[in-house]
Amino acid sequence: MRLLIINPNTSAHVTRALGEHITPMLGQCWQLDCVTARFGAAYIASEAAYAIAAHAVLDAWSCQEGAYDAILIGCFGDPGLEALRELAGCPVIGLAEAAMQEAARAGRFAIVTGGARWAPILQRRAAAAGLQDQLAGLQVLSESGAELLADPPRALDRLEAAARQVRSASGAESVIIGGAALAGMGEALARRLPFAVIDNVSAAARAIRTATSRPAAAGPDGAGYHGLSPELLARLQA
C-alpha cells in the first residue's frame, strides 16, 4: 500500500515530523512517500498563504510517479482537499476533516490550534464537512504551530490550558488539538486531561487505515490553463 503525504508549506521539518508520527501507526504494509511544497509559505498563517498552499498541493501531487492507495494533506485546514479529490483517483484525507469527523461521532467538539488567523478557515472546513453545528468551540492561540513546537513543555502547558478553557466554555464532548507541527501533542494531552482529546495527525492515520473507496478521477475539464508547471498541466489534461 502506498501513501503520499503532502506538506502544503515549505518547512521540511514538518514533513519529517508527519512521516515519523504516522509510520508506526500504519505498520509495515504501507510505504510512505513524504513531499514538501515546492513553493509557498514556510508557515500558513493567512488566507493568502492558504490559497497558495492549495495550488502547492496540486503541484506536489502532479510531480509524483505511480499510483497511490491514499493521499494525506498534511495541514490542519486541508488546503486543496476538494480539488485533489477531483483529480487523484484515490482517497484523499485532510488532517482537519479527519479529526472533525472522528470527534463528531462522539458528539459536539471543540478545537485548539495555533495561528491567529485560522479561525475562519477552520469554520469553513467544518461547514464543508457538514459539521458546523457540532463545532462547539474554537480556541486559537496567538503562537503558530512552529513557534509552539520550539518549546514543547511550554507548548503542552499552553495547549492544556486552552483545551480546559474551551471545553469548559463550550461543553464539548471532545477537544481536537490541531496542527501538523503538533503531531503527538494531542496524545500527550489525552494522558493529562479528564476528557477526550483527539490528536489531528493520529486521527488522519486512523482515517487512512479505513479508507477503502477509490473514486474515479474527474478527467479533463476543458479549461484553458496558462502558466502552470508542466507536471500539473499534464495531469489536468490527462
Side-chain angles (χ1 to χ4, degrees), residues 106 167 172-176 190 193-198:
R167 200 256 182 173
E173 278 75 25
S174 62
V175 175
I176 297 168
L193 292 169
F195 49 84
V197 179
I198 295 172

Side-chain angles (χ1 to χ4, degrees), residues 5 40 60 83 87 109 117 137 151 178 195 210 232:
I5 298 178
L87 297 170
F109 59 89
R117 301 192 198 180
D151 188 348
F195 49 84
T210 58
L232 181 52

Side-chain angles (χ1 to χ4, degrees), residues 9 11 13-14 42-44 114-115 143-152 155 179-182 185:
N9 69 46
S11 298
H13 70 278
V14 174
Y43 175 74
I44 300 166
E143 302 97 327
S144 70
E147 289 168 341
L148 289 166
L149 191 61
D151 188 348
L182 303 180
M185 288 197 174

